[in-house]
Amino acid sequence: PYMVTTPIYYVNDKPHIGHAYTSVACDVLARFMRLDGREVLYLTGTDEHGQKVQQSAEAAGVEPQDFVDHVSGRFREMGELLQISNDRFVRTTEPQHREAVVALWNRLVERNQIYLGSYEGWYSVRDEAFYNESDLNDDGTAPTGAEVTWVKEPSYFFRLSKWEGALLKLYDTDQNFVQPAGKRSEVVAQVRAGLRDLSISRTSFDWGIRVPNDPAHVIYVWVDALTNYLTGTGWPSTTTDMPGSVTWPADVHLVGKDILRFHAVYWPAILMAACLLYTSDAADEEDSVDLGGRRIIKKKKSTENKSRVHDK
């Protein structure tokens, strides 16, 4: 079995050449693996919640759901035009995905990985990301050049700092967890510098999945978005505790360098905390490659031999 995913595409605007490039690159991998006789799950979709989407809908003078229905349709049209062979197209506004996000949240709560506090700091609506003062450029913008605003609001937090040691062990056990080496070094340096617990809910807007038992909060859009990789396997609607697809965990996540931190730090920590993928003793199940400046985080099943994919 073989699972490959694009990053789930954000629908604040219509698709562009970068989305097409990523979809085609994943399509090449999926088609090759099918020709090789392997069962393939090629997953893509659209990330439809968050403050940026709500603001874009307001600017267009339409309701958020109408806005995302239209833009998500444009991404589907792109796939049809390019003859992309994806097996699943996940929308984060669909009921199955909402079920998966709520199930993941509850799983983290049961394991004492979430607590209620208050967030005060810099936030970029464009990036949908929180930043420390030390992260900002000299002109006060985010590392991506996006504007940031000071945010102060009640928030639920994920105990990210607890997983610092497990993440470093993960990176150390597999030196190729992130490639090229320069990007791996950046990730390792960020974690070694110390991780703060991650704010994972917002109260200043309402376009998102509500926190179970506390509807004043919506779940942080990146927790919502990353969960699509679980949704695509059919989880949690399975008869087992783990994701139901035989392809899980994914062999390849193809992502852009600007979202590497979310995939290489936040996502593995969340999965370890939820007991859905890694343990501190299973770090060698990860592999990664680089493709034309895009990052592929590649999870190897423990029953398979290690392999390496290099630049084109």
Side-chain angles (χ1 to χ4, degrees), residues 193-214:
L195 295 176
R196 295 184 179 182
D197 290 349
L198 179 65
S199 172
I200 56 170
S201 75
R202 303 291 308 279
T203 58
S204 55
F205 63 95
D206 58 8
W207 181 241
I209 297 175
R210 302 286 183 175
V211 168
N213 303 315
D214 195 348

Side-chain angles (χ1 to χ4, degrees), residues 82-140:
L82 297 172
Q83 298 183 20
I84 300 300
S85 64
N86 58 287
D87 302 286
R88 181 75 163 86
F89 188 100
V90 175
R91 296 185 60 184
T92 60
T93 52
E94 67 183 54
Q96 183 182 341
H97 177 73
R98 183 181 300 272
E99 180 186 1
V101 173
V102 170
L104 178 61
W105 182 279
N106 288 336
R107 197 176 175 99
L108 292 169
V109 169
E110 290 166 3
R111 288 161 174 77
N112 193 31
Q113 299 297 319
I114 292 177
Y115 63 91
L116 181 61
S118 178
Y119 176 79
E120 184 173 2
W122 296 106
Y123 187 78
S124 165
V125 174
R126 193 185 82 180
D127 297 344
E128 295 286 10
F130 302 95
Y131 292 106
N132 298 324
E133 186 78 31
S134 59
D135 296 328
L136 302 183
N137 297 323
D138 292 340
D139 62 358

Side-chain angles (χ1 to χ4, degrees), residues 247-298:
T247 58
W248 182 262
D251 294 88
V252 173
H253 290 310
L254 184 60
V255 303
K257 61 183 180 180
D258 55 331
I259 57 174
L260 180 60
R261 174 167 55 116
F262 303 98
H263 287 79
V265 180
Y266 298 166
W267 187 229
I270 288 170
L271 290 174
M272 285 190 283
C275 299
L276 284 172
L277 188 58
Y278 315 105
T279 67
S280 58
D281 296 322
D284 61 347
E285 293 180 12
E286 284 284 326
D287 185 34
S288 63
V289 302
D290 171 75
L291 178 62
R294 296 252 168 183
R295 305 297 163 267
I296 302 177
I297 302 172
K298 184 176 182 182

Side-chain angles (χ1 to χ4, degrees), residues 29 54 95 112 117:
L29 296 172
Q54 182 168 315
N112 193 31

